[in-house]
Amino acid sequence: MIPTIRLGKNGPLVSKLGLGCMRMSSTWGGPVNDEVESVATIQMALDNGINFLNTGDFYGTGHNELLVRKAVRGRRDDAFISVKFGAIFDNGRWLGLDLRPIAIRNFINYSLVRLGIDTIDLYQPCRLDNSVPLEEVIGTVAELISEGKVRYLGVSEITADQLRKAHGVHPVAALEIGYSLADRQIEADLLPTARELGIGVVAFANTAEGLLTGDLKAPLPASSYQHHFSRFQGENLIRNLEKVELLKQLATEKGYTPTQLAIAWVNAQGDHIMPLVSMSRRSRLPENIQAMGIEFTADEMATLNAHFSPGAILGSTYLHR
């Protein structure tokens, strides 16, 4: 049985394991996955008690929302749908953000139609910049909540200061942020702020874009998207893969995969933290669900925390850091 997590002090109870739907669609110009398999994966997740579905209006320029629509048709009450907005793409090329209130009102109406629903459960800017005052962005979502188009406010990839300001405009239910053994910088300020304010944390990239899966070897194929990130380049990659050997060893000793331990570590960081795992195939579900039941001894946790201390992994991936 999947445990639950409360998003915000007075927010909804949702599954503590979330399903990230982004990889089911072509967001960065890559191939589209098997739609039938993707829909079946979402439905199997719902059958197993995973009700938190994470999508974005820019995932495959709306394709992802249409997939979610197919999957939840006839079972809307089984799903808690989280939608990100604000990113502008052109044929897989990132152009920037549009966070103007008039644009947000346009975005949500398109999302509601594509999803085939009347209300989005969690609505959030994919990140914030200085192009539009934070108060206007958050205030617009607050208006949509009062109008019944949105149930709860979320934020994504922001700073602790921005989180406080957003929460001051309207209660924030959830913070979506990259978090893993390889990416722990947010432990210094952002995570304590979220805990203090009673905000749930939706943690994506639990394997740090594949680094912690134990499957990578240097050099990466020339076609790998990971070349865009400094942690996968040159000497950084070689040193980082050496660090991952300890995780692989522990996984072997415990009878699990490195990916499962990476998810389990995130899950163990607090009752207010949800691992958000991207999947597009049903075959991935059992192992990821199993990861939620993995426990670490005090010595194992201490070893992992020391070996993967903040900054131990060289280079970065996330634009907000």
Side-chain angles (χ1 to χ4, degrees), residues 43 51 71 83 123 180 196 198 208 219 240 242 248 270 280 282 286 309:
Q43 293 176 334
N51 70 340
V83 177
Y123 201 51
S180 70
E196 173 195 336
N240 291 338
E242 291 173 355
K248 292 169 64 175
S280 59
R282 284 169 287 181
S309 59

Side-chain angles (χ1 to χ4, degrees), residues 226-280:
Q226 293 149 316
H227 285 295
H228 293 293
F229 310 126
S230 61
R231 69 173 37 163
F232 295 104
Q233 298 171 4
E235 189 66 22
N236 280 356
L237 177 60
I238 295 172
R239 296 281 298 279
N240 291 338
L241 289 178
E242 291 173 355
K243 299 289 289 186
V244 175
E245 286 300 314
L246 180 138
L247 184 66
K248 292 169 64 175
Q249 178 182 340
L250 181 59
T252 299
E253 293 172 358
K254 293 177 73 68
Y256 298 107
T257 68
T259 293
Q260 287 178 305
L261 291 199
I263 295 170
W265 181 87
V266 173
N267 183 48
Q269 299 314 300
D271 293 337
H272 65 304
I273 296 178
M274 171 202 297
L276 178 67
V277 181
S278 292
M279 293 173 264
S280 59

Side-chain angles (χ1 to χ4, degrees), residues 85-122:
F85 67 85
I88 305 298
F89 284 84
D90 178 27
N91 294 323
R93 183 169 61 96
W94 166 269
L95 298 182
L97 299 174
D98 190 347
L99 300 173
R100 296 170 300 155
I102 192 173
I104 297 172
R105 288 191 166 276
N106 182 59
F107 292 149
I108 192 167
N109 288 317
Y110 277 85
S111 287
L112 290 171
V113 170
R114 284 190 293 257
L115 289 164
I117 60 179
D118 298 321
T119 305
I120 290 172
D121 297 307
L122 185 71

Side-chain angles (χ1 to χ4, degrees), residues 9 42 70 77 90 133 164 183 198 250 283 297 310 316 321:
K9 290 182 178 179
I42 296 173
K70 292 179 182 178
D77 292 342
D90 178 27
R164 287 188 184 279
D183 290 284
L250 181 59
S283 60
T297 67
S316 63
R321 300 187 194 146

